[in-house]
Amino acid sequence: MTEKKLMDTLDSFMSRGVVADLWLRDDDATEPSPALDRLLALSDRYAVPMTLAVIPEPTGDALERRLENADKIDVAVHGWAHRNHARPEEKKRELGLHRPMDAVIGELRAGFEKLQTLYPSRFVPMLVPPWNRIDPDIVEGLPAIGYRALSVYGPEKTVPLFLLNTHVDIIDWRGTRGGKDHDLLFAETAERMVAAEQGARTTGILTHHLDHDETAWAFLDRLFALTANHPGCRWRCAGALVEEAGSAT
């Protein structure tokens, strides 16, 4: 099994005194749910920190109360309403130039302020674009309204603020729309960790708790069991990583 590939990678890191940074971003949180309870229980069981990308427009006090006593959970801004404004022939996008720039920036400012107010101690000034898509011109405007980081999916590119991407998506969106094959995911995670070491970057795991089937839940459980206490890696929250990036500049 390629679980062995991950363990061999971690053991190699340990033998060389390397500690790889992992982080988990879970998208689309708006309110309490059994799926969110299950995700938070996993986080608590293994003491693995997580970053929830919360959709600002529909969320409110109920989610804030549910997270009130949750440990190691921080909150980032997931667009505004997770609403598609692209044309039918285009890929879905909320943060494109299909509307006036001022309207888009205004929503992102409102989302920032709403979540910062709801979560003063958990809030991370980081934008997670819905569908992981955002127009470069909008990215240019983010620092002026308080954002210090951006998180999308895939290889890092040059942007005018700290980029904290995810790289391993556990959902097979183009196939079963359930959890991907575990062997594939363990291999992807190991390969990304090796590449990340060479570039001194993190390895980001992407989840969507509302879309998980038992295959997805089982992978997370096993991944946490293998990595939570391994000396070759550590799990981080986005907040700490963003703070460290700011201190280094």
Side-chain angles (χ1 to χ4, degrees), residues 14-227:
M14 178 180 64
S15 70
R16 293 182 286 114
V18 174
V19 180
D21 278 345
L22 294 159
W23 79 292
L24 188 142
R25 193 190 92 203
D26 183 84
D27 288 2
D28 300 347
T30 59
E31 61 184 0
S33 68
L36 181 61
D37 288 345
R38 190 169 180 177
L39 182 70
L40 295 176
L42 273 176
S43 170
D44 185 62
R45 182 185 313 158
Y46 293 105
V48 170
M50 299 181 182
T51 298
L52 297 181
V54 176
I55 306 172
E57 185 190 47
T59 201
D61 293 340
L63 182 61
E64 187 278 329
R65 289 193 298 270
R66 175 62 186 86
L67 298 180
E68 191 172 23
N69 296 314
D71 193 24
K72 301 179 183 297
I73 305 296
D74 58 22
V75 169
V77 183
H78 197 25
W80 170 243
H82 211 301
R83 185 175 296 124
N84 179 34
H85 297 283
R87 292 182 290 272
E89 69 275 11
E90 296 178 317
K91 292 182 177 180
K92 292 181 178 180
R93 185 181 298 235
E94 180 174 57
L95 305 181
L97 297 181
H98 306 89
R99 301 175 292 155
M101 174 79 79
D102 288 349
V104 179
I105 292 294
E107 288 181 349
L108 293 178
R109 180 186 289 110
F112 185 109
E113 293 172 352
K114 182 175 182 177
L115 295 189
Q116 187 180 48
T117 299
L118 279 170
Y119 303 99
S121 63
R122 298 183 188 276
F123 180 73
V124 182
M126 180 172 76
L127 175 64
V128 178
W131 298 287
N132 291 291
R133 300 184 186 112
I134 183 169
D135 189 275
D137 288 346
I138 296 171
V139 174
E140 293 289 333
L142 295 179
I145 56 173
Y147 288 95
R148 294 170 51 195
L150 175 70
S151 179
V152 292
Y153 179 78
E156 286 77 11
K157 301 177 181 178
T158 301
V159 294
L161 68 174
F162 179 55
L163 190 60
L164 183 61
N165 280 4
T166 54
H167 313 92
V168 179
D169 189 339
I170 76 169
I171 301 291
D172 180 14
W173 296 108
R174 297 182 181 180
T176 65
R177 298 189 70 82
K180 290 179 182 174
D181 177 80
H182 290 189
D183 286 354
L184 173 64
L185 289 171
F186 283 125
E188 285 184 1
T189 303
E191 289 163 6
R192 167 61 197 184
M193 291 173 75
V194 170
E197 180 198 2
Q198 297 170 356
R201 292 185 177 273
T202 59
T203 295
I205 309 297
L206 177 59
T207 65
H208 289 73
H209 64 277
L210 294 173
D211 296 287
H212 288 186
D213 61 2
E214 289 305 316
T215 299
W217 288 118
F219 171 74
L220 275 186
D221 196 316
R222 187 60 182 155
L223 178 67
F224 292 170
L226 293 171
T227 58

